[in-house]
């Protein structure tokens, strides 16, 4: 028997690694919450028998093993929650995890058919594991599989690759429902928490509008808090030879807008603050108030956790943002986070960024391309790059 120890944020992440390294027949022997500096992680001890079969051989094995593995995952999730109750006093987090686990277990039993015949479709089970591994939440993964089963005959759900193609089409339609009629507005503001990439994203779009679309561009920054923020944007503006103004409040903002009346498009950088700073978010909304047509883009970094990104997307709703821009895709391996957020806030995504180069590393994206990006779980350089 081969034993291996894993450290992960949760049991789902651990199971993806276990399945990948030890194979589908691996079993979980124990789980426990780590202490000290690693208190946010759990330790999972897994094992596989020396008679482990290849994935090709496993396809022909009795599906009872899949049932055992799935139930093992569910049992491990329960053990993880018990450990949280015992070792920590995070009542809110524990309650949320318990609620999601309860709903997920019920959905899994229905979707994968455990209640009916005690066996799990190998392809559906594999699809569930895969969706979770991309960062899509357990609840949304179950919902996708449930819709998949309702809308497709059983004989079409035996091939894993075919299932992924169907899921991609489903996600594309779901994401497209969040898009609305595009009325390009002359003023475009960028909001979001600190460190999400707002300034760099603004510079990339400014270069695109200036050099590719031949528009007269103006830049305004309202970020008078962050050290060096104004100088960074001034450097970009000087290189591109576009006017850049600093607005300290709403009154100054309106005055500068009138001075830039000759510009085809005006890009507005805003200060990044904690998503928990409700006072700042209210002030930000007031600062961007104008009678002129203005669109607001929420900038979210893919280096954040799904929970933090979703929380930011919810809290920044106070600014009435119109669109989402996801940044730093090159530093992420969980593209399913994007689907969680789009499904939650119902906002369109027009751009994604995948590097620091200005203006190259920004790409325009549509619902179909976004769904493909999420399902493939990797950056597709064939997207509609603005620099082309």
């Amino acid at each position: 028997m081969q034993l291996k120890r894993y450290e992960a944020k949760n049991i789902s992440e651990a199971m993806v690694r276990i399945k990948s390294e030890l194979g589908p027949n691996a079993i979980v022997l124990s789980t426990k919450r780590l202490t000290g500096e690693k208190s946010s992680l759990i330790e999972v001890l897994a094992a596989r028998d020396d008679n482990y079969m290849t994935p090709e051989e496993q396809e022909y094995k009795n599906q009872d093993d899949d049932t055992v593995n799935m139930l093992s995952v569910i049992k491990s999730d329960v053990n993880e929650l018990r450990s949280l109750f015992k070792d920590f006093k995070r009542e809110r987090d524990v309650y949320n995890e318990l609620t999601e686990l309860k709903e997920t277990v019920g959905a899994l039993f229905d979707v994968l058919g455990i209640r009916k015949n005690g066996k799990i479709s190998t392809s559906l089970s594999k699809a569930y594991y895969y969706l979770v591994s991309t960062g899509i939440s357990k609840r949304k993964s179950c919902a996708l599989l449930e819709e998949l089963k309702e809308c497709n005959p059983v004989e079409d759900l035996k091939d894993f690759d075919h299932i992924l193609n169907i899921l991609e089409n489903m996600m594309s339609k779901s994401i497209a429902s969040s898009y609305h009629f595009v009325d390009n507005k002359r003023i475009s503001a960028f909001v979001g928490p600190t460190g999400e990439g707002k300034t760099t994203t603004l510079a990339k779009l400014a270069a695109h509008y200036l050099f590719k679309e031949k528009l007269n561009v103006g830049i305004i920054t309202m970020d008078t808090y962050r050290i060096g923020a104004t100088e960074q944007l001034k450097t970009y503006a000087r290189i591109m030879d576009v006017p850049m103004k600093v607005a300290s409040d709403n009154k100054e903002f309106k005055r500068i807008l009138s001075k830039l009346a000759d510009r085809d498009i005006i890009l507005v950088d805003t200060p990044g603050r904690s998503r928990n700073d409700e006072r700042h978010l209210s002030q930000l909304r007031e600062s961007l108030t104008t009678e002129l047509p203005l669109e607001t883009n929420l900038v979210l970094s893919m280096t954040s956790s799904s929970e933090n990104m979703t929380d930011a997307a919810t809290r920044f709703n106070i600014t009435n943002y119109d669109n989402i821009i996801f940044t730093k895709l090159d530093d992420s391996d969980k593209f399913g986070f994007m689907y969680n957020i789009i499904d939650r806030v119902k906002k369109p995504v027009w751009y994604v960024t995948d590097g620091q180069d200005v203006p190259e590393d920004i790409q325009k994206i549509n619902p179909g391309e976004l769904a493909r990006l999420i399902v493939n779980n990797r950056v597709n350089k064939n997207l509609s790059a603005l620099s082309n």
Side-chain angles (χ1 to χ4, degrees):
M1 176 177 289
Q2 180 179 349
L3 298 175
K4 193 162 184 179
R5 175 181 171 277
Y6 295 85
E7 291 182 3
K9 294 179 181 178
N10 52 52
I11 191 64
S12 298
E13 179 181 321
M15 285 304 301
V16 171
R17 293 168 57 190
I18 291 169
K19 292 289 181 182
S20 174
E21 297 178 17
L22 298 183
N25 284 339
I27 60 173
V28 174
L29 300 178
S30 67
T31 63
K32 71 176 182 179
R33 175 66 60 178
L34 297 175
T35 59
E37 295 181 355
K38 296 184 178 181
S39 59
S40 62
L41 303 176
I42 62 170
E43 177 189 274
V44 180
L45 185 63
R48 77 171 182 191
D49 190 81
D50 293 332
N51 294 322
Y52 163 72
M53 293 183 296
T54 65
E56 291 76 13
E57 295 169 330
Q58 180 64 27
E59 290 294 328
Y60 298 97
K61 194 176 184 297
N62 191 293
Q63 293 180 354
D64 287 344
D65 287 340
D66 277 323
T67 303
V68 172
N69 285 333
M70 181 63 73
L71 294 177
S72 175
V73 173
I74 295 170
K75 181 179 179 181
S76 296
D77 270 345
V78 173
N79 288 336
E80 178 188 355
L81 288 172
R82 286 175 177 168
S83 176
L84 286 172
F85 274 119
K86 181 179 179 181
D87 298 334
F88 300 96
K89 295 182 179 180
R90 298 188 301 139
E91 291 87 354
R92 177 183 172 186
D93 291 344
V94 172
Y95 176 78
N96 290 339
E97 286 195 48
L98 183 60
T99 300
E100 181 174 346
L101 176 61
K102 180 180 178 181
E103 295 176 357
T104 302
V105 169
L108 274 173
F109 271 54
D110 288 332
V111 172
L112 301 182
I114 297 176
R115 285 178 178 157
K116 295 181 179 180
N117 54 31
K119 294 183 178 181
I120 299 173
S121 163
T122 301
S123 296
L124 286 178
S125 173
K126 188 176 179 181
Y128 170 78
Y129 283 128
Y130 181 78
L131 291 177
V132 172
S133 74
T134 67
I136 298 177
S137 72
K138 297 176 184 177
R139 188 182 307 174
K140 289 180 175 57
S141 296
C142 287
L144 284 168
L145 289 177
E146 186 172 18
E147 181 181 349
L148 182 80
K149 287 188 64 178
E150 290 178 354
C151 301
N152 296 275
V154 177
E155 55 268 22
D156 288 348
L157 303 179
K158 296 180 180 179
D159 180 73
F160 174 70
D161 291 332
H162 183 58
I163 288 176
L164 289 188
N165 287 333
I166 298 176
L167 287 170
E168 181 182 315
N169 291 330
M170 289 169 52
M171 287 185 195
S172 177
K173 292 178 181 178
S174 174
I175 293 170
S177 68
S178 300
Y179 283 58
H180 47 72
F181 173 74
V182 181
D183 181 15
N184 293 326
K185 297 177 181 177
R186 180 169 162 266
I187 308 169
S188 185
F190 300 81
V191 302
T194 303
E196 303 296 288
K198 295 186 295 297
T199 302
T200 305
T201 299
L202 182 152
K204 292 174 181 177
L205 285 174
H208 165 72
Y209 291 133
L210 181 67
F211 300 121
K212 298 298 179 181
E213 297 193 16
K214 308 301 180 183
L215 299 179
N216 292 321
V217 179
I219 297 176
I220 300 175
T221 180
M222 306 179 80
D223 190 357
T224 58
Y225 299 92
R226 185 164 58 93
I227 298 175
T230 302
E231 291 304 317
Q232 179 186 6
L233 205 51
K234 279 184 177 178
T235 300
Y236 284 129
R238 185 168 60 252
I239 293 172
M240 291 183 283
D241 192 25
V242 300
M244 182 272 205
K245 306 293 183 181
V246 180
S248 57
D249 53 34
N250 180 258
K251 183 178 180 180
E252 183 73 4
F253 178 56
K254 291 181 178 179
R255 187 185 68 81
I256 293 174
L257 286 177
S258 65
K259 291 185 66 174
L260 296 177
D262 63 326
R263 299 288 104 179
D264 297 319
I265 187 165
I266 301 171
L267 305 178
V268 184
D269 195 18
T270 66
R273 291 289 187 86
S274 168
R275 65 184 186 279
N276 298 318
D277 191 341
E278 295 181 3
R279 180 170 172 270
H280 164 69
L281 293 178
S282 297
Q283 290 176 341
L284 181 61
R285 178 186 60 189
E286 295 298 324
S287 298
L288 293 174
T289 301
T290 173
E291 296 177 356
L292 298 173
L294 179 148
E295 71 172 8
T296 304
N297 305 280
L298 175 64
V299 181
L300 295 175
S301 169
M302 291 296 294
T303 58
S304 299
S305 68
S306 179
E307 292 78 10
N308 288 344
M309 293 170 69
T310 303
D311 187 55
T314 302
R315 291 178 182 270
F316 270 85
N317 257 328
I318 193 173
T319 65
N320 296 317
Y321 64 88
D322 302 284
N323 316 302
I324 299 174
I325 298 176
F326 289 109
T327 64
K328 305 181 183 180
L329 270 67
D330 51 314
D331 290 329
S332 175
D333 59 358
K334 297 282 186 180
F335 291 178
F337 291 170
M338 292 187 287
Y339 185 74
N340 296 338
I341 294 169
I342 297 169
D343 186 70
R344 173 72 175 270
V345 300
K346 307 299 182 185
K347 300 285 186 178
V349 178
W350 295 114
Y351 301 102
V352 296
T353 76
D354 57 354
Q356 294 296 313
D357 291 342
V358 177
E360 289 82 3
D361 294 333
I362 186 168
Q363 303 179 45
K364 192 161 188 173
I365 196 165
N366 60 45
E369 292 170 331
L370 191 53
R372 189 172 307 114
L373 183 68
I374 293 170
V375 172
N376 291 340
N377 202 41
R378 63 176 181 272
V379 176
N380 179 7
K381 286 297 185 180
N382 294 321
L383 294 178
S384 308
L386 297 186
S387 56
N388 289 340

